């Protein structure tokens, strides 16, 4: 039999989020059925680094929320495993289940913030809690005693929906791993700008937003055309929704063209214009060249936005720009789409026709296709047409997805939650899914692998790290996240973690990649959506095999090179001998 | 030869290629003159399914060619007369009337007569029966059919229970449609449970046949570990019931000792043909939306049928392995659905069939020898279009679906499947000609044509699966047959639309790793 693949939670990092990974099973242990993200043998943990400090059973803040901190004889049901009996403990941030068996102790650690919704059921005095997680997993706990069950359920409900950000786990989490590099300082604008300055001098760093006084949702430092001074920027900010004035998003080295992002212009019904705005974006064009404005709303929606003071760039005032409307759905439409998709994936009673029609009706893949199409269009304008591009929707916070994405609002709830707040939207998941689609089509062009994307998805929704807390730089700085929480990147940017996210097929390549957006080329992202619905043992083994093949080749190559060197040395020695 | 012909690309708006069309005795060849590097498109006449003349456009006279390997070529020809001539020539060339006109009889790979004979002997079914331990106390290879008197669509040698004497065999054959009696398809050595196959019984509403009942009893008793056996009718119940009116039908549980009778509804060849037609229409849509595509995929029913075939095969494998019970499978004639299900169940149970050699044996045994009517199903000759059906294509796809779920368990890769699929239609090799053993004997296939298998083995390096973990790594496979486990096979149905496929091929990368590995290993040992 081949070495069984075996997934469990990382050592050296509390099992807050199930980060799947492949490690060889300890030799003495019988092979396990397959992935069991949150369940891991104690011995493996003990052998590795500590899982982090055991959270205080109930810090002061949470004591009153936890009426029953512990219940015995609880039965846990979770995907791919037989039911197991053990003890359930509630702490301020975790739900911990331990089988307490001497021979094969198993533990489940679940962050309360990973819990999307819970349901309770009673049969006699036996209560059942069904927990639906934001990573789309569903687990079930059978708890004897009606009171205990009710108490636990209400605690989970309260603890998983804490109002205050500062009560969340990242503010309590103390890492046990060695920090090589502070992730909060990994992506500083100055350093990024230095890279940019080495290829062009047409841009400058502006500190206009230092105190978040111009645009509360932008970072303090932004990159803008050199020829536009801060005074002009202030005027432009007045002309853009939420003051999100056009800033640099991406610079294309090959031809100096750029992608900028902003929010909609506030033209209103009477066609207001702003000379500085026109000047700003024109500054990115080469003489005689045209640019493209990609409006991620339909023309209809953009026109309607005028009534509310918003609008779009009028041809008359932006003669060098061509506007293209590429409709990308937003907010609740995306959220509904995700809910429908997850529902379809979880219902195993579907026949083929019903599955396909549910998949179709969810529209998830339609949204993927829309976003990829818009992205390809932008890339095409820049690379093929040699034109600069400005991308915006209404608020300019979702469509291009870089700095300033309101993570906290968008990722507060996942697919199972009933409370449908209007700002909920799986935009980041959609982005990750799009990246996965491109990764599938260009498996050699990404330095990271699918696991990296899945890890990001999990941490965006529930994490011990502060990276995805808050909605923008302003909020993050008010929360003092860099001082009070650990950055996800501090943990990721260590060789032992990085190696798990590395794509063995990666070959550095500076060429532009053009994915296909034909429906035949797009697939459901199984790694996320079917993860808990079908075992992945055989796929994991294939991945392992691929890594081994490439690793072995590299070792062989190194060996051959070393031998060649040796031979060459011996030959020179011989020659020297002869010469003597 | 026709000059000034345009070849349109279906999926991109790139400028149409301009070039020259040549017709040879076997191929249509298009040479692109506008490309910097010489680019050729070859289409085998036998691969052409349909040729259509479309209405005149500003560019010229369009000619649309659909191939059996799902290649679609859209030519535009300048002159109407040229277009018409090409059209009529292709119609004639793509639909030979006599078997002797098939490519295999003229194909000459410059191989010695000896090598050709060795090629035909590469696959020996007797060796496979030996591998299963046959003959043994319960099963024997009999030549009772040597003059095709029992069944003219079976091979001369068949495997039946020792306990079934000639009278039982002959008696049973009279009670089975076209004399296709129950014979052994696969014996699972682990527990002596067997998969057997036959055609439907001529039971009508109440007819019985003592010898047939004895035959089933003999099969059941050849597996002493189980008190019962399954009889699986792979047709939808309604179809089977309708057959009773024609004097055919299915086994009555009351008449046979200790059988468990079960229907597994796989649709008939006509439903499958229409389903594929619909699927291909979806594949050919011009810039469809996601909704168009998924709705079309659903409406075609194609994946539903693939799942049905897979479900039936999984049932068989489970019955044999987990319930230790023998299974007798039939449909109507026992050469379409039965072939699919028996061969797939064997593939699930036995890792040998997941090797190059084993897969060839499987096709020779369950499809070619047992009389799957390749010639009719693939439309090799001008004939009844209602006989054409993608039964073998579905089998190949099921294997591909298994490869997706179990990437390390097959010695060969997707390209091997595509090669075989191509040659089932190409008529370049003799293996798939005719409809049954007797017909191939009459056509003198072994003397006049070549076998495909040695040619594929020569290409082993590019057809192998670099992730294969070897023969002993995995035994039985238990595929998941939930709907979301089935994928649309873009590599088959949109195979010639390169733009849709991943732009970087992991398979190529790994194959080059494997060949590099061998070179490096040689280097290393030399240097040492």
């Amino acid at each position: 039999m081949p070495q069984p693949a075996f997934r469990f939670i990382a050592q050296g990092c509390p099992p807050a989020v199930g980060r799947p990974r492949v490690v060889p099973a300890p030799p003495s242990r019988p092979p396990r059925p397959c992935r069991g993200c949150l369940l891991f043998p104690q011995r493996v943990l003990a052998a590795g680094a500590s899982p982090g400090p055991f959270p205080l059973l109930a810090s002061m803040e949470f004591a009153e929320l936890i009426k029953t901190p512990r219940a015995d004889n609880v039965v846990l049901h979770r995907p791919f495993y037989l039911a197991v009996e053990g003890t359930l403990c509630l702490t301020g941030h975790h739900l911990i289940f331990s089988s307490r068996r001497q021979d094969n102790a198993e533990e489940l650690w679940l962050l309360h913030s990973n819990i999307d919704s819970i349901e309770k059921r009673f049969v006699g005095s036996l209560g059942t809690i069904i927990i639906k997680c934001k990573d789309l997993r569903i687990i079930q706990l059978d708890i004897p005693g009606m009171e205990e069950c009710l108490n636990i359920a209400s605690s989970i409900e309260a603890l998983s929906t804490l109002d205050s950000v500062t009560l969340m786990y990242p503010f309590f989490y103390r890492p046990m791993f060695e920090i090589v590099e502070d992730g909060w300082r990994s992506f500083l604008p100055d350093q990024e700008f230095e890279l940019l300055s080495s290829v062009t001098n047409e841009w400058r760093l502006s500190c206009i937003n230092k105190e978040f006084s111009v645009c509360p949702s932008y970072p303090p430092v932004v990159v803008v055309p050199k020829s536009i001074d801060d005074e002009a920027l202030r005027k432009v900010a007045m002309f853009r929704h939420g003051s999100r004035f056009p800033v640099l998003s991406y610079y294309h080295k090959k031809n100096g063209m750029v992608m900028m992002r902003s929010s909609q212009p506030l033209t209103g019904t009477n066609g207001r214009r702003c000379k500085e705005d026109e000047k700003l974006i024109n500054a990115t064009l080469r003489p005689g060249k045209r640019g493209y404005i990609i409006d991620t709303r339909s023309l209809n929606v953009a026109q309607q936005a005028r009534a509310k003071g918003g609008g779009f760039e009028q041809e008359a005032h932006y003669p060098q720009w061509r506007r293209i409307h590429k409709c990308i759905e937003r907010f609740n439409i995306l959220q509904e789409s995700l809910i429908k998709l997850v529902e379809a994936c979880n219902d195993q009673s579907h026949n083929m026709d019903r599955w396909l029609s549910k998949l179709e009706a969810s529209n998830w893949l339609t949204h993927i296709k829309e976003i990829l199409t818009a992205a390809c269009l932008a890339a095409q304008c820049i690379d093929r047409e040699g034109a600069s591009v400005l991308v915006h929707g209404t608020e300019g916070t979702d469509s291009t997805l870089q700095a300033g994405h309101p993570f906290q609002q968008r990722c507060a709830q996942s697919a199972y939650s009933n409370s449908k707040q209007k700002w909920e939207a799986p935009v980041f998941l959609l982005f990750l899914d799009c990246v996965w689609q491109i990764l599938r089509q260009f498996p050699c062009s990404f330095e990271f692998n699918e696991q990296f994307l899945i890890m990001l998805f999990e941490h965006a929704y529930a994490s011990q790290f502060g990276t995805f807390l808050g909605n923008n730089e302003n909020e993050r700085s008010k929360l003092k996240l860099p001082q009070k929480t650990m950055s996800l990147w501090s943990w990721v940017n260590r060789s032992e973690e990085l190696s798990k996210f590395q794509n063995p097929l990666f070959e550095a390549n500076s060429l532009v990649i053009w994915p296909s957006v034909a429906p035949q080329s797009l697939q459901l992202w199984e790694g996320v959506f079917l993860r808990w619905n079908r075992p992945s043992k055989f796929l994991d083994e294939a991945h392992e095999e691929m890594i081994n093949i490439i690793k072995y080749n590299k070792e062989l190559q190194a060996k051959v090179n070393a031998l060649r060197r040796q031979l060459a040395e011996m030959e020179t020695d011989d020659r020297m001998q002869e010469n003597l | 030869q026709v000059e000034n012909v345009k070849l349109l690309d279906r999926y991109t708006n790139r400028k149409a290629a301009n070039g020259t069309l040549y017709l040879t005795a076997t191929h249509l060849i298009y040479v692109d003159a506008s490309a910097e590097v010489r680019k050729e498109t070859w289409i085998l006449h036998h691969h052409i399914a349909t040729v259509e003349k479309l209405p005149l456009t500003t560019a010229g006279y369009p000619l649309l060619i659909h191939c059996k390997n799902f290649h679609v070529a859209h030519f535009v020809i300048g002159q109407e007369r040229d277009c018409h001539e090409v059209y009529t020539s292709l119609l004639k060339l793509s639909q030979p009337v006599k078997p002797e006109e098939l490519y295999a009889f003229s194909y000459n790979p410059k191989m010695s007569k000896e090598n050709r004979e060795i090629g035909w002997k590469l696959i020996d079914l007797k060796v496979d029966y030996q591998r299963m331990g046959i003959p043994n106390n319960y099963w024997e290879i009999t030549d009772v059919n040597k003059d095709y008197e029992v069944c003219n669509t079976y091979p001369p040698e068949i495997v039946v229970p020792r306990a079934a004497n000639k009278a039982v065999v002959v008696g049973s054959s009279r009670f089975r449609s076209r004399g296709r009696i129950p014979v052994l398809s696969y014996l699972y050595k682990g527990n002596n449970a067997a998969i057997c196959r036959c055609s439907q019984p001529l039971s009508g509403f109440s007819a019985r046949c003592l010898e047939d009942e004895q035959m089933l009893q003999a099969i059941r008793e050849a597996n002493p570990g189980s008190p019962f056996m399954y009889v699986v009718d792979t047709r939808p119940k309604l179809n089977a019931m309708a057959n009773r009116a024609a004097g055919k039908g299915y086994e009555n549980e009351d008449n046979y000792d200790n059988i468990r009778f079960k229907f597994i509804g796989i649709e008939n060849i006509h439903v499958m043909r229409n389903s594929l037609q619909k699927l291909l229409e979806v594949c050919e849509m011009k810039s469809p939306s996601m909704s168009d595509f998924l709705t079309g995929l659903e409406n075609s029913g194609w994946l539903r049928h693939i799942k049905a075939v897979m479900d039936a095969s999984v049932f068989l494998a489970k019955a044999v392995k987990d319930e230790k019970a023998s299974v007798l499978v039939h449909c109507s004639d026992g050469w379409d659905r039965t072939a699919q299900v028996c061969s797939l169940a064997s593939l699930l149970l036995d890792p040998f069939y997941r090797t190059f050699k084993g897969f060839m044996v499987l096709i020779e045994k369950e499809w070619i020898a047992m009389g799957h009517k390749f010639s009719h199903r693939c439309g090799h000759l001008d004939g009844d279009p209602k006989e054409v059906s993608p039964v073998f294509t579905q089998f190949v796809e099921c294997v591909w679906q298994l490869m997706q779920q179990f990437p390390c368990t097959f010695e060969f890769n997707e390209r091997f499947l595509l090669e075989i699929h191509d040659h089932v239609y190409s008529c370049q090799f003799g293996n798939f000609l005719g409809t049954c053993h007797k017909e191939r004997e009459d056509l003198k296939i072994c003397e006049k044509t070549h076998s495909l298998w040695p040619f594929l083995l020569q290409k082993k390096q590019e057809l192998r699966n670099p992730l294969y973990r070897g023969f002993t790594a995995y035994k039985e496979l238990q595929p998941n047959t939930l709907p979301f486990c089935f994928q649309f096979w873009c590599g088959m149905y949109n195979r010639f639309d390169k733009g849709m496929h991943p732009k970087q091929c992991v398979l190529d990368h790994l194959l080059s790793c494997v060949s590099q590995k061998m070179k490096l290993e040689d280097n290393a040992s030399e240097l040492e």
Side-chain angles (χ1 to χ4, degrees), chain B residues 149-169:
Chain B
E149 276 168 4
V150 175
C151 171
N152 62 3
T153 57
Y154 270 180
E157 291 183 330
I158 47 183
V159 179
V160 293
R162 257 185 213 285
N165 59 29
K166 192 169 178 189
V168 169
V169 167

Side-chain angles (χ1 to χ4, degrees), chain A residues 498-555:
Chain A
L498 277 181
S499 67
K500 280 145 208 161
F501 300 130
Q502 255 151 13
N503 174 9
L505 295 168
F506 177 60
E507 279 166 359
N509 169 355
S510 62
L511 293 177
V512 180
I513 54 180
W514 301 106
S516 158
V517 295
Q520 288 97 321
S521 308
L522 304 177
Q523 276 185 12
L524 178 70
W525 188 6
E526 298 171 60
V528 163
F529 298 108
L530 301 181
R531 181 173 170 197
W532 310 105
N533 301 323
R534 54 128 183 76
S536 64
K537 172 172 180 271
F538 296 99
L539 301 181
D540 294 345
E541 282 170 8
H543 189 70
E544 218 175 283
E545 195 63 42
M546 185 175 83
I547 292 173
N548 289 341
I549 290 173
I550 294 167
K551 202 174 123 203
Y552 181 70
N553 261 34
K554 282 188 180 147
E555 286 166 7

Side-chain angles (χ1 to χ4, degrees), chain B residues 51-97:
Chain B
V51 190
E52 288 166 79
K53 284 200 288 184
L54 301 182
L56 175 68
T57 69
T58 49
Y61 296 84
L63 195 64
L64 185 61
I65 299 178
H66 280 91
C67 297
K68 294 169 180 173
N69 60 351
F70 311 122
H71 190 172
V72 180
H74 194 159
F75 294 107
V76 180
I77 298 172
Q79 300 292 320
E80 185 178 15
R81 208 178 45 124
D82 289 341
C83 180
H84 188 73
E85 272 176 17
V86 172
Y87 172 75
T88 47
S89 310
L90 285 180
L91 276 190
K92 228 172 41 221
L93 289 164
S94 65
Q95 287 171 340
V97 180

Side-chain angles (χ1 to χ4, degrees), chain B residues 99-292:
Chain B
E100 296 76 32
E101 296 171 46
L102 294 170
Y103 188 20
F105 292 99
S106 60
Y107 175 61
N108 181 8
K110 306 220 165 51
M111 185 190 260
S112 73
K113 189 167 164 262
E114 278 164 16
N115 279 343
R116 164 159 49 192
E117 279 166 11
I118 292 170
W120 278 113
K121 284 180 186 140
L122 185 71
I123 303 299
D124 183 353
L125 299 186
K126 268 201 174 143
V127 176
D128 196 46
Y129 290 124
Q130 268 166 27
R131 209 178 54 83
M132 298 179 208
I134 295 172
N136 62 15
N137 289 341
Y138 298 109
W139 297 93
E140 63 178 354
I141 305 175
T142 161
D143 64 353
V144 62
N145 195 37
K146 63 178 181 294
D147 300 319
Y148 304 107
E149 276 168 4
V150 175
C151 171
N152 62 3
T153 57
Y154 270 180
E157 291 183 330
I158 47 183
V159 179
V160 293
R162 257 185 213 285
N165 59 29
K166 192 169 178 189
V168 169
V169 167
V170 172
S172 170
S173 79
R174 302 226 167 91
F175 190 65
R176 291 279 163 183
S177 176
R178 297 175 202 269
R180 294 173 67 92
I181 52 159
V183 296
L184 181 119
S185 152
Y186 179 70
L187 180 65
Y188 184 66
K189 263 171 106 180
N191 58 20
N192 282 320
I195 297 175
C196 298
R197 54 184 289 179
C198 60
S199 61
Q200 63 183 332
L202 305 177
S203 51
F205 289 98
S206 59
R208 296 180 60 163
C209 167
L210 188 64
E211 289 90 345
D212 194 64
E213 289 160 25
Q214 285 169 342
M215 180 63 127
L216 264 66
Q217 186 186 349
I219 292 173
R220 178 171 54 78
E221 287 173 352
N223 175 23
S226 171
F228 72 96
M229 71 182 280
Y230 280 109
V231 175
V232 172
D233 189 328
T234 54
R235 297 169 294 181
K237 189 173 179 182
L238 215 64
N239 300 21
M241 283 169 72
N243 262 301
R244 289 194 300 189
K248 299 167 188 172
Y250 53 92
E251 291 79 357
N252 183 340
E253 264 180 328
D254 299 338
N255 298 343
Y256 294 84
D257 285 339
N258 298 311
I259 67 162
R260 292 191 191 167
F261 184 85
K262 194 177 155 59
F263 284 111
I264 299 182
I266 302 175
E267 299 289 349
N268 65 27
I269 57 167
H270 311 295
V271 174
M272 300 308 189
R273 180 179 55 248
N274 292 333
S275 171
L276 178 66
Q277 188 51 42
K278 282 189 198 155
L279 179 78
L280 294 178
E281 280 163 21
V282 174
C283 294
E284 277 180 56
M285 276 197 275
K286 229 175 144 59
S287 48
S289 72
M290 202 72 217
S291 267
D292 294 340

Side-chain angles (χ1 to χ4, degrees), chain A residues 2 348 350 353 355 357 360 441-445 507 516 520-521 526 538 541 545 549 552-553 564, chain B residues 290-291 298 304 405 466 469 474 482-484 487 494 499-500 503-504 509 513 516-517 521 523 528:
Chain A
Q348 313 229 330
H350 288 332
D353 288 1
W355 157 247
S357 88
E360 188 272 321
Q441 295 187 30
F442 297 87
C444 306
S445 294
E507 279 166 359
S516 158
Q520 288 97 321
S521 308
E526 298 171 60
F538 296 99
E541 282 170 8
E545 195 63 42
I549 290 173
Y552 181 70
N553 261 34
R564 284 220 174 99
Chain B
M290 202 72 217
S291 267
E298 180 198 339
R304 187 176 75 226
Q405 281 196 40
R469 285 194 165 178
Y474 302 87
L482 286 172
F484 55 58
Q487 293 171 17
N494 284 108
M500 289 183 184
K503 307 297 185 301
Q504 293 160 343
H509 193 100
C513 272
Q516 198 193 359
K517 176 184 139 189
E521 274 170 347
N523 275 345
E528 273 173 343

Side-chain angles (χ1 to χ4, degrees), chain A residues 417-431:
Chain A
S417 177
N418 293 324
S419 73
K420 288 198 195 99
Q421 283 165 318
K422 109 172 197 306
W423 52 77
E424 280 295 329
V427 184
F428 188 61
L429 176 57
L430 267 170
F431 162 72

Side-chain angles (χ1 to χ4, degrees), chain A residues 224-357:
Chain A
V224 294
K226 200 169 207 168
S227 55
I228 307 297
D229 60 23
D230 282 358
E231 215 28 61
L233 287 182
R234 254 180 258 282
K235 286 187 184 146
V236 177
M238 308 269 283
F239 183 63
R240 291 276 170 179
H241 187 117
S243 305
R244 295 175 69 93
F245 54 88
V247 294
L248 180 74
S249 159
Y250 168 76
Y251 181 85
H252 196 49
K253 267 192 227 167
K254 187 173 129 191
N255 58 12
M257 291 299 124
V258 298
M259 177 155 64
M260 286 177 298
R261 51 180 299 168
S262 70
S263 58
Q264 63 175 346
L266 302 174
T267 55
T269 37
N270 49 12
R272 215 160 66 95
R273 64 189 284 194
C274 168
K275 282 269 165 50
E276 289 78 7
D277 190 80
E278 292 157 26
K279 201 177 150 206
L280 191 162
I281 72 165
N282 285 339
T284 66
L285 295 178
R286 294 275 144 77
K289 282 274 193 175
R290 287 162 68 91
Y292 289 87
I293 295 171
I294 298 178
D295 192 324
T296 57
R297 305 163 294 180
S298 67
L299 178 62
N300 225 337
V301 172
Q303 277 168 342
Q304 281 163 10
R306 287 189 299 193
K308 293 183 201 153
F312 52 87
E313 294 81 356
Q314 307 270 326
E315 285 87 350
H317 304 149
Y318 298 83
Q320 285 165 278
W321 294 82
R322 220 188 112 201
R323 206 179 60 248
I324 304 172
H325 290 274
K326 274 279 159 197
C327 178
I328 295 177
E329 294 293 352
R330 309 189 331 136
F331 300 145
N332 55 332
I333 292 183
L334 298 180
Q335 187 66 19
E336 254 165 55
S337 166
L338 176 65
I339 291 170
K340 280 190 196 160
L341 176 68
V342 171
E343 238 172 48
C345 291
N346 284 350
D347 192 339
Q348 313 229 330
S349 69
H350 288 332
N351 61 27
M352 183 61 79
D353 288 1
R354 189 137 178 86
W355 157 247
L356 287 173
S357 88

Side-chain angles (χ1 to χ4, degrees), chain B residues 212-434:
Chain B
D212 194 64
E213 289 160 25
Q214 285 169 342
M215 180 63 127
L216 264 66
Q217 186 186 349
I219 292 173
R220 178 171 54 78
E221 287 173 352
N223 175 23
S226 171
F228 72 96
M229 71 182 280
Y230 280 109
V231 175
V232 172
D233 189 328
T234 54
R235 297 169 294 181
K237 189 173 179 182
L238 215 64
N239 300 21
M241 283 169 72
N243 262 301
R244 289 194 300 189
K248 299 167 188 172
Y250 53 92
E251 291 79 357
N252 183 340
E253 264 180 328
D254 299 338
N255 298 343
Y256 294 84
D257 285 339
N258 298 311
I259 67 162
R260 292 191 191 167
F261 184 85
K262 194 177 155 59
F263 284 111
I264 299 182
I266 302 175
E267 299 289 349
N268 65 27
I269 57 167
H270 311 295
V271 174
M272 300 308 189
R273 180 179 55 248
N274 292 333
S275 171
L276 178 66
Q277 188 51 42
K278 282 189 198 155
L279 179 78
L280 294 178
E281 280 163 21
V282 174
C283 294
E284 277 180 56
M285 276 197 275
K286 229 175 144 59
S287 48
S289 72
M290 202 72 217
S291 267
D292 294 340
F293 177 73
L294 287 174
T295 309
L297 187 61
E298 180 198 339
N299 290 340
S300 77
W302 184 255
L303 286 176
R304 187 176 75 226
H305 300 314
I306 295 291
K307 177 172 152 51
V309 174
M310 194 74 100
D311 275 328
S313 314
V314 169
F315 175 84
L316 256 60
K318 276 192 178 153
V320 165
K321 183 180 164 276
D322 299 340
E323 297 191 64
K324 304 180 179 64
S326 290
V327 189
L328 174 66
V329 189
H330 67 75
C331 43
S332 298
D333 292 313
W335 52 38
D336 292 315
R337 290 167 271 206
T338 301
Q340 288 177 327
V341 169
C342 288
S343 53
L344 278 169
S346 305
L347 188 90
L348 293 176
L349 288 168
D350 194 332
F352 172 66
Y353 296 122
R354 305 193 287 263
T355 63
F356 278 110
K357 189 78 182 285
F359 196 64
M360 295 170 182
V361 169
L362 191 65
I363 291 174
E364 284 284 347
K365 187 160 66 91
E366 296 303 320
W367 293 84
I368 297 173
M370 294 305 290
H372 174 69
K373 303 197 290 176
F374 278 106
S375 177
H376 295 172
R377 295 293 176 258
C378 303
H380 288 163
L381 298 168
D382 191 19
D384 183 358
K386 285 207 165 63
E387 280 285 303
V388 175
S389 187
V391 178
F392 188 76
T393 304
Q394 288 181 320
F395 163 70
V396 172
E397 172 164 347
C398 285
V399 177
W400 179 82
Q401 299 283 358
L402 289 172
M403 285 178 168
Q404 305 312 297
Q405 281 196 40
F406 305 99
C408 303
T409 62
F410 289 84
E411 189 183 12
F412 44 85
N413 64 37
E414 174 182 5
R415 288 173 199 163
F416 180 64
L417 297 181
L418 294 174
E419 283 272 351
I420 293 175
H421 190 259
D422 273 354
H423 285 300
V424 163
Y425 290 97
S426 75
C427 302
Q428 187 174 348
F429 297 94
N431 308 59
F432 306 106
L433 303 189

